[in-house]
Amino acid sequence: MKIRAAAAAALSLAAMSLAAPGTAAAAETCGYWNDATYAYYSHCGPDRVLIDVDVAWGRDFTKCVEPNSKNNIGLWPRTTNAWYVGPC
């Protein structure tokens, strides 16, 4: 019986981790995130910054992003990551 309870708990945790982030969670996220269709970089700081964007099966690129902005940086999972490099 303990094995069944442990399996149910593990399945519940796995299901929660697979859920796509909702709009409320995405709005609070700074940095790289995705909504299972597109990849985004949300910049929460007061200045323009340069980000590096990793692209699978393509050329990586850099981009300046505006303060307090949400930036669509490509299709997910093709766009795999993005991070702060420095000021623009």
XYZ file of all heavy atoms in Angstrom:
660
model
N 0.811 -1.192 0.000
C 0.000 0.000 0.000
C 0.862 1.268 0.000
O 0.513 2.243 -0.619
C -0.933 -0.040 1.211
C -2.043 0.956 1.145
S -3.110 0.560 -0.242
C -4.557 1.386 0.237
N 2.000 1.238 0.720
C 2.883 2.398 0.761
C 3.452 2.700 -0.621
O 3.650 3.851 -0.963
C 4.012 2.172 1.756
C 3.571 2.185 3.189
C 4.750 2.004 4.115
C 4.285 1.958 5.550
N 5.400 1.802 6.477
N 3.701 1.651 -1.396
C 4.245 1.848 -2.745
C 3.228 2.578 -3.611
O 3.578 3.487 -4.358
C 4.637 0.496 -3.375
C 5.805 -0.103 -2.596
C 4.982 0.661 -4.840
C 6.158 -1.505 -3.015
N 1.950 2.213 -3.508
C 0.905 2.865 -4.290
C 0.804 4.346 -3.925
O 0.692 5.204 -4.794
C -0.436 2.176 -4.067
C -1.528 2.785 -4.930
C -2.846 2.093 -4.757
N -2.747 0.759 -5.328
C -3.678 -0.165 -5.214
N -4.775 0.088 -4.537
N -3.535 -1.337 -5.762
N 0.871 4.693 -2.655
C 0.806 6.090 -2.221
C 2.015 6.870 -2.722
O 1.890 8.010 -3.174
C 0.709 6.168 -0.701
N 3.188 6.256 -2.653
C 4.402 6.920 -3.143
C 4.324 7.132 -4.646
O 4.721 8.184 -5.155
C 5.628 6.099 -2.779
N 3.820 6.158 -5.370
C 3.678 6.290 -6.824
C 2.687 7.392 -7.176
O 2.913 8.180 -8.102
C 3.247 4.964 -7.436
N 1.583 7.484 -6.442
C 0.590 8.535 -6.693
C 1.184 9.917 -6.422
O 0.960 10.856 -7.184
C -0.648 8.305 -5.838
N 1.954 10.041 -5.350
C 2.586 11.319 -5.033
C 3.596 11.707 -6.105
O 3.654 12.859 -6.538
C 3.265 11.237 -3.668
N 4.392 10.755 -6.556
C 5.377 11.033 -7.608
C 4.685 11.436 -8.898
O 5.132 12.351 -9.595
C 6.264 9.812 -7.828
N 3.595 10.778 -9.243
C 2.858 11.112 -10.461
C 2.272 12.511 -10.370
O 2.312 13.274 -11.334
C 1.761 10.078 -10.705
C 0.959 10.228 -11.987
C 1.888 10.181 -13.199
C -0.080 9.131 -12.087
N 1.756 12.904 -9.216
C 1.209 14.246 -9.024
C 2.288 15.303 -9.192
O 2.075 16.325 -9.845
C 0.578 14.372 -7.639
O -0.528 13.526 -7.536
N 3.458 15.067 -8.591
C 4.565 16.023 -8.729
C 5.023 16.130 -10.177
O 5.303 17.215 -10.672
C 5.732 15.614 -7.835
C 5.537 15.842 -6.349
C 6.691 15.239 -5.565
C 5.403 17.320 -6.056
N 5.097 15.014 -10.875
C 5.511 15.031 -12.275
C 4.508 15.804 -13.120
O 4.886 16.580 -13.999
C 5.663 13.602 -12.801
N 3.233 15.627 -12.871
C 2.209 16.334 -13.642
C 2.293 17.834 -13.407
O 2.149 18.630 -14.347
C 0.822 15.816 -13.279
N 2.555 18.251 -12.177
C 2.670 19.678 -11.895
C 3.891 20.276 -12.582
O 3.855 21.408 -13.043
C 2.752 19.919 -10.392
C 1.443 19.691 -9.686
S 1.403 20.187 -7.952
C 2.869 19.468 -7.268
N 4.974 19.539 -12.682
C 6.185 20.082 -13.293
C 6.073 20.175 -14.805
O 6.799 20.942 -15.430
C 7.406 19.246 -12.909
O 7.339 17.973 -13.513
N 5.171 19.417 -15.418
C 5.007 19.460 -16.865
C 4.071 20.555 -17.324
O 4.017 20.875 -18.500
C 4.480 18.110 -17.378
C 5.449 16.941 -17.267
C 4.757 15.655 -17.696
C 6.689 17.183 -18.087
N 3.322 21.137 -16.440
C 2.356 22.168 -16.816
C 3.087 23.381 -17.367
O 4.097 23.818 -16.839
C 1.523 22.561 -15.606
N 2.557 23.934 -18.447
C 3.141 25.137 -19.038
C 2.877 26.318 -18.114
O 1.830 26.390 -17.478
C 2.525 25.404 -20.406
N 3.827 27.261 -18.038
C 3.593 28.401 -17.168
C 2.402 29.206 -17.648
O 2.226 29.429 -18.840
C 4.882 29.210 -17.266
C 5.653 28.654 -18.378
C 5.085 27.297 -18.695
N 1.576 29.637 -16.731
C 0.420 30.455 -17.070
C 0.818 31.900 -17.257
O 1.952 32.288 -17.023
N -0.123 32.718 -17.659
C 0.189 34.119 -17.907
C 0.563 34.840 -16.626
O 1.401 35.720 -16.642
C -0.997 34.819 -18.586
O -2.162 34.633 -17.789
C -1.220 34.297 -19.979
N -0.025 34.469 -15.500
C 0.326 35.124 -14.242
C 1.771 34.820 -13.867
O 2.521 35.708 -13.483
C -0.615 34.682 -13.131
N 2.191 33.566 -14.012
C 3.573 33.197 -13.699
C 4.526 33.849 -14.681
O 5.593 34.320 -14.303
C 3.729 31.679 -13.722
N 4.157 33.876 -15.948
C 5.025 34.458 -16.967
C 5.202 35.956 -16.754
O 6.278 36.490 -16.972
C 4.457 34.180 -18.352
N 4.160 36.639 -16.303
C 4.242 38.083 -16.107
C 5.228 38.426 -14.992
O 5.816 39.488 -15.005
C 2.867 38.644 -15.797
N 5.408 37.541 -14.032
C 6.298 37.790 -12.908
C 7.724 37.312 -13.173
O 8.599 37.555 -12.379
C 5.748 37.091 -11.674
C 4.389 37.612 -11.261
C 3.744 36.772 -10.184
O 4.401 35.864 -9.651
O 2.579 37.031 -9.885
N 7.964 36.619 -14.266
C 9.260 36.035 -14.554
C 10.179 37.068 -15.205
O 9.793 37.730 -16.147
C 9.103 34.832 -15.506
O 8.255 33.883 -14.884
C 10.423 34.206 -15.829
N 11.394 37.161 -14.692
C 12.422 37.981 -15.328
C 13.437 37.031 -15.938
O 13.764 36.009 -15.345
C 13.105 38.874 -14.303
S 11.994 40.052 -13.537
N 13.922 37.352 -17.137
C 14.868 36.485 -17.818
C 14.182 35.616 -18.847
O 13.104 35.926 -19.336
N 14.818 34.502 -19.169
C 14.317 33.593 -20.196
C 13.161 32.753 -19.672
O 13.192 32.274 -18.537
C 15.447 32.664 -20.651
C 14.991 31.598 -21.614
C 14.883 31.872 -22.957
C 14.649 30.328 -21.160
C 14.453 30.893 -23.846
C 14.227 29.350 -22.039
C 14.118 29.645 -23.381
O 13.681 28.692 -24.254
N 12.129 32.562 -20.518
C 11.023 31.655 -20.216
C 10.312 31.315 -21.519
O 10.590 31.915 -22.564
C 10.066 32.248 -19.181
C 9.468 33.572 -19.544
C 10.065 34.806 -19.416
C 8.185 33.819 -20.108
N 9.227 35.791 -19.852
C 8.055 35.215 -20.288
C 7.123 33.004 -20.471
C 6.909 35.802 -20.811
C 5.976 33.591 -20.985
C 5.875 34.968 -21.151
N 9.439 30.323 -21.482
C 8.661 29.968 -22.674
C 7.259 29.588 -22.270
O 6.986 29.261 -21.121
C 9.347 28.841 -23.462
C 9.288 27.528 -22.745
O 8.229 26.909 -22.652
N 10.425 27.082 -22.215
N 6.364 29.649 -23.264
C 4.971 29.270 -23.029
C 4.605 28.010 -23.808
O 3.452 27.788 -24.122
C 4.025 30.416 -23.368
C 4.031 30.785 -24.840
O 4.720 30.122 -25.644
O 3.332 31.744 -25.218
N 5.610 27.193 -24.124
C 5.468 25.944 -24.883
C 5.193 26.188 -26.359
O 4.979 25.242 -27.104
C 4.422 25.020 -24.260
N 5.205 27.420 -26.810
C 5.108 27.753 -28.231
C 6.209 28.736 -28.617
O 6.906 28.535 -29.594
C 3.742 28.375 -28.574
O 2.704 27.464 -28.193
C 3.629 28.661 -30.064
N 6.355 29.797 -27.824
C 7.358 30.824 -28.079
C 8.307 30.949 -26.885
O 7.938 30.640 -25.757
C 6.700 32.189 -28.329
C 5.906 32.231 -29.598
C 4.531 32.080 -29.589
C 6.542 32.398 -30.823
C 3.802 32.098 -30.761
C 5.823 32.423 -31.999
C 4.458 32.270 -31.962
O 3.743 32.295 -33.132
N 9.505 31.443 -27.171
C 10.479 31.746 -26.127
C 10.490 33.258 -25.921
O 10.323 34.026 -26.874
C 11.865 31.259 -26.534
N 10.684 33.669 -24.680
C 10.666 35.088 -24.332
C 11.845 35.422 -23.430
O 12.384 34.564 -22.740
C 9.389 35.440 -23.563
C 8.124 35.231 -24.343
C 7.448 34.021 -24.292
C 7.609 36.239 -25.140
C 6.282 33.815 -25.002
C 6.445 36.049 -25.863
C 5.784 34.837 -25.789
O 4.641 34.642 -26.508
N 12.203 36.695 -23.445
C 13.132 37.229 -22.454
C 12.461 38.461 -21.875
O 12.190 39.428 -22.595
C 14.480 37.598 -23.065
C 15.482 38.012 -22.014
C 16.293 37.064 -21.416
C 15.592 39.325 -21.603
C 17.202 37.421 -20.426
C 16.489 39.696 -20.620
C 17.291 38.743 -20.039
O 18.188 39.092 -19.055
N 12.173 38.433 -20.596
C 11.577 39.585 -19.913
C 12.676 40.292 -19.139
O 13.356 39.683 -18.314
C 10.474 39.130 -18.960
O 9.402 38.591 -19.690
N 12.841 41.566 -19.435
C 13.856 42.360 -18.748
C 13.161 43.226 -17.712
O 12.303 44.036 -18.038
C 14.620 43.215 -19.747
C 15.613 44.127 -19.105
N 16.516 43.686 -18.169
C 15.837 45.454 -19.245
C 17.261 44.710 -17.767
N 16.863 45.793 -18.401
N 13.525 43.060 -16.459
C 12.859 43.749 -15.351
C 13.639 44.958 -14.844
O 13.194 45.625 -13.917
C 12.624 42.766 -14.207
S 11.577 41.380 -14.686
N 14.775 45.242 -15.427
C 15.603 46.342 -14.946
C 15.245 47.673 -15.569
O 14.441 47.763 -16.496
N 15.884 48.748 -15.095
C 15.567 50.100 -15.549
C 16.333 50.564 -16.791
O 16.055 51.646 -17.302
C 15.947 50.959 -14.341
C 17.097 50.221 -13.729
C 16.773 48.764 -13.925
N 17.308 49.796 -17.274
C 18.139 50.220 -18.404
C 18.047 49.220 -19.552
O 17.683 48.067 -19.363
C 19.608 50.321 -17.973
C 19.809 51.306 -16.844
O 19.234 52.409 -16.915
O 20.531 50.964 -15.885
N 18.408 49.691 -20.756
C 18.512 48.776 -21.906
C 19.690 47.832 -21.677
O 20.732 48.259 -21.191
C 18.753 49.564 -23.194
C 17.563 50.352 -23.660
C 17.904 51.241 -24.848
N 18.796 50.597 -25.788
C 18.516 50.361 -27.068
N 17.385 50.749 -27.562
N 19.389 49.775 -27.846
N 19.504 46.551 -22.027
C 20.582 45.582 -21.861
C 20.723 44.723 -23.111
O 19.784 44.584 -23.903
C 20.374 44.664 -20.634
C 20.369 45.465 -19.351
C 19.130 43.830 -20.759
N 21.913 44.164 -23.266
C 22.211 43.249 -24.364
C 22.052 41.826 -23.848
O 22.534 41.502 -22.757
C 23.647 43.475 -24.841
C 24.104 42.696 -26.066
C 23.337 43.157 -27.302
C 25.598 42.885 -26.266
N 21.358 40.990 -24.635
C 21.215 39.584 -24.264
C 21.791 38.711 -25.372
O 21.798 39.096 -26.538
C 19.745 39.194 -23.994
C 18.870 39.394 -25.234
C 19.193 39.956 -22.806
C 17.469 38.808 -25.120
N 22.308 37.554 -24.993
C 22.702 36.507 -25.937
C 21.554 35.515 -26.011
O 20.996 35.136 -24.975
C 23.946 35.759 -25.448
C 25.242 36.382 -25.913
O 25.211 37.179 -26.869
O 26.283 36.065 -25.323
N 21.227 35.072 -27.214
C 20.136 34.120 -27.417
C 20.710 32.868 -28.075
O 21.360 32.955 -29.117
C 19.022 34.727 -28.293
C 17.897 33.733 -28.493
C 18.501 36.021 -27.687
N 20.487 31.705 -27.447
C 20.905 30.412 -28.007
C 19.807 29.873 -28.910
O 18.653 29.779 -28.487
C 21.138 29.384 -26.898
C 22.506 29.483 -26.288
O 23.383 30.150 -26.867
O 22.709 28.869 -25.230
N 20.198 29.502 -30.122
C 19.250 28.950 -31.086
C 19.753 27.575 -31.511
O 20.860 27.445 -32.031
C 19.100 29.863 -32.320
C 18.111 29.276 -33.306
C 18.684 31.266 -31.904
N 18.939 26.548 -31.276
C 19.285 25.208 -31.746
C 19.026 25.163 -33.246
O 18.065 25.755 -33.728
C 18.436 24.166 -31.019
N 19.831 24.488 -33.983
C 19.690 24.343 -35.435
C 19.691 25.687 -36.141
O 18.993 25.883 -37.126
C 18.410 23.584 -35.813
C 18.141 22.417 -34.952
C 18.902 21.283 -34.841
C 17.070 22.261 -34.037
N 18.354 20.444 -33.918
C 17.223 21.018 -33.416
C 15.992 23.060 -33.685
C 16.337 20.553 -32.465
C 15.121 22.595 -32.731
C 15.295 21.354 -32.145
N 20.464 26.632 -35.631
C 20.535 27.942 -36.264
C 21.621 28.787 -35.634
O 22.348 28.350 -34.748
N 21.702 30.015 -36.079
C 22.734 30.937 -35.609
C 22.273 31.650 -34.337
O 21.187 32.216 -34.305
C 23.032 31.955 -36.696
C 24.117 32.939 -36.310
C 24.488 33.814 -37.446
N 25.243 32.989 -38.394
C 25.680 33.439 -39.549
N 25.425 34.666 -39.921
N 26.363 32.654 -40.342
N 23.112 31.625 -33.295
C 22.837 32.382 -32.078
C 22.908 33.866 -32.413
O 23.530 34.268 -33.410
C 23.867 32.054 -31.004
C 23.814 30.599 -30.560
O 22.841 29.901 -30.903
O 24.748 30.166 -29.866
N 22.274 34.700 -31.601
C 22.304 36.135 -31.864
C 22.267 36.920 -30.565
O 21.987 36.383 -29.500
C 21.157 36.555 -32.787
C 19.770 36.343 -32.233
C 19.111 37.356 -31.555
C 19.112 35.126 -32.394
C 17.837 37.168 -31.055
C 17.838 34.926 -31.905
C 17.196 35.955 -31.231
N 22.597 38.212 -30.672
C 22.482 39.137 -29.540
C 21.409 40.154 -29.880
O 21.114 40.401 -31.053
C 23.811 39.861 -29.248
O 24.228 40.563 -30.407
C 24.889 38.884 -28.825
N 20.830 40.721 -28.843
C 19.739 41.670 -29.046
C 19.704 42.633 -27.875
O 19.886 42.225 -26.722
C 18.424 40.897 -29.134
C 17.196 41.738 -29.226
C 15.935 40.879 -29.318
C 14.741 41.802 -29.432
N 13.606 41.181 -30.049
N 19.469 43.920 -28.145
C 19.229 44.904 -27.092
C 17.749 44.858 -26.730
O 16.895 44.822 -27.616
C 19.571 46.308 -27.569
S 21.313 46.693 -27.450
N 17.459 44.846 -25.437
C 16.069 44.846 -24.989
C 15.816 46.071 -24.120
O 16.702 46.541 -23.407
C 15.691 43.542 -24.253
C 15.764 42.361 -25.198
C 16.559 43.298 -23.046
N 14.615 46.577 -24.207
C 14.218 47.787 -23.497
C 13.946 47.494 -22.021
O 13.662 46.356 -21.648
C 12.958 48.380 -24.148
C 13.160 48.819 -25.587
C 14.155 49.958 -25.717
O 14.163 50.851 -24.848
O 14.924 49.952 -26.692
N 13.992 48.535 -21.193
C 13.694 48.351 -19.771
C 12.257 47.859 -19.560
O 11.351 48.249 -20.305
C 13.850 49.742 -19.170
C 14.499 50.574 -20.195
C 14.348 49.897 -21.507
N 12.069 47.013 -18.567
C 10.745 46.523 -18.181
C 9.934 46.036 -19.371
O 8.798 46.445 -19.577
C 9.981 47.599 -17.413
C 10.726 48.015 -16.169
O 11.111 47.176 -15.363
N 10.973 49.298 -16.022
N 10.538 45.149 -20.177
C 9.882 44.692 -21.402
C 9.822 43.170 -21.475
O 10.618 42.470 -20.869
C 10.635 45.218 -22.622
O 11.962 44.711 -22.652
N 8.851 42.688 -22.245
C 8.712 41.265 -22.567
C 9.031 41.136 -24.050
O 8.399 41.787 -24.879
C 7.285 40.818 -22.277
C 6.972 39.423 -22.739
C 5.514 39.107 -22.409
C 4.927 38.175 -23.414
N 3.495 37.957 -23.189
N 10.030 40.307 -24.399
C 10.517 40.211 -25.765
C 10.355 38.800 -26.308
O 10.910 37.860 -25.752
C 11.999 40.587 -25.814
C 12.227 41.967 -25.253
O 12.105 42.942 -25.962
N 12.526 42.061 -23.967
N 9.621 38.650 -27.397
C 9.520 37.370 -28.091
C 10.836 37.183 -28.836
O 11.192 37.991 -29.686
C 8.342 37.393 -29.052
C 8.149 36.078 -29.761
O 9.101 35.371 -30.080
N 6.901 35.759 -30.032
N 11.567 36.113 -28.502
C 12.879 35.908 -29.115
C 12.904 34.703 -30.054
O 13.966 34.325 -30.533
C 13.987 35.809 -28.050
C 13.675 34.731 -27.021
C 14.211 37.161 -27.399
C 14.797 34.465 -26.038
N 11.750 34.101 -30.321
C 11.702 33.008 -31.280
C 10.788 31.880 -30.847
O 10.153 31.936 -29.799
N 10.738 30.874 -31.692
C 9.926 29.700 -31.397
C 10.618 28.812 -30.379
O 11.834 28.653 -30.404
C 9.675 28.893 -32.667
C 8.743 29.524 -33.688
C 8.744 28.721 -34.977
C 7.335 29.618 -33.130
N 9.845 28.244 -29.475
C 10.348 27.263 -28.532
C 9.950 25.892 -29.060
O 8.846 25.757 -29.579
C 9.736 27.496 -27.147
C 10.253 26.541 -26.130
C 11.375 26.692 -25.390
C 9.698 25.287 -25.766
N 11.546 25.601 -24.582
C 10.515 24.714 -24.804
C 8.576 24.570 -26.181
C 10.268 23.481 -24.230
C 8.325 23.337 -25.618
C 9.164 22.812 -24.649
N 10.766 24.870 -29.072
C 12.039 24.700 -28.378
C 13.261 25.065 -29.220
O 14.379 24.800 -28.798
C 12.036 23.216 -28.051
C 11.342 22.581 -29.194
C 10.271 23.592 -29.581
N 13.067 25.665 -30.380
C 14.232 26.041 -31.192
C 15.094 27.080 -30.478
O 16.316 27.032 -30.537
C 13.780 26.563 -32.549
C 14.941 26.853 -33.444
C 14.517 27.119 -34.863
N 15.711 27.249 -35.664
C 15.909 28.202 -36.532
N 14.969 29.086 -36.756
N 17.021 28.262 -37.205
N 14.476 28.040 -29.832
C 15.206 29.030 -29.037
C 15.343 28.458 -27.639
O 14.358 28.332 -26.920
C 14.462 30.370 -29.023
O 14.236 30.774 -30.375
C 15.249 31.433 -28.305
N 16.565 28.089 -27.260
C 16.759 27.277 -26.061
C 17.137 28.043 -24.800
O 16.944 27.532 -23.709
C 17.844 26.212 -26.315
O 19.060 26.879 -26.688
C 17.425 25.269 -27.427
N 17.656 29.265 -24.929
C 18.055 30.015 -23.739
C 18.401 31.441 -24.135
O 18.660 31.718 -25.299
C 19.255 29.359 -23.057
C 19.389 29.749 -21.604
O 18.611 30.541 -21.083
N 20.378 29.192 -20.930
N 18.420 32.319 -23.155
C 18.868 33.705 -23.352
C 19.326 34.227 -22.002
O 18.795 33.825 -20.965
C 17.742 34.562 -23.898
N 20.325 35.109 -22.017
C 20.822 35.647 -20.766
C 21.441 37.005 -20.979
O 21.821 37.389 -22.084
C 21.834 34.702 -20.101
C 23.052 34.447 -20.921
C 24.226 35.138 -20.901
C 23.216 33.450 -21.921
N 25.102 34.641 -21.807
C 24.509 33.587 -22.463
C 22.396 32.453 -22.426
C 24.988 32.779 -23.479
C 22.889 31.637 -23.447
C 24.158 31.804 -23.942
N 21.538 37.749 -19.892
C 22.093 39.099 -19.841
C 23.586 39.051 -20.145
O 24.312 38.221 -19.610
C 21.848 39.662 -18.440
C 22.607 40.910 -18.118
C 22.096 42.152 -18.462
C 23.825 40.866 -17.460
C 22.791 43.324 -18.145
C 24.523 42.025 -17.136
C 23.999 43.245 -17.493
O 24.669 44.379 -17.199
N 24.055 39.987 -20.994
C 25.477 40.100 -21.294
C 26.058 41.389 -20.705
O 27.120 41.394 -20.132
C 25.717 40.076 -22.834
C 27.168 40.297 -23.164
C 25.223 38.785 -23.420
N 25.323 42.491 -20.877
C 25.794 43.778 -20.380
C 24.908 44.885 -20.904
O 23.905 44.632 -21.577
N 25.278 46.118 -20.669
C 24.478 47.248 -21.171
C 24.602 47.385 -22.684
O 25.601 46.974 -23.275
C 25.060 48.458 -20.453
C 26.406 48.033 -19.985
C 26.402 46.554 -19.847
N 23.590 47.963 -23.313
C 23.640 48.211 -24.769
C 24.445 49.462 -25.053
O 24.419 50.403 -24.329
C 22.242 48.417 -25.329
S 21.265 46.936 -25.376
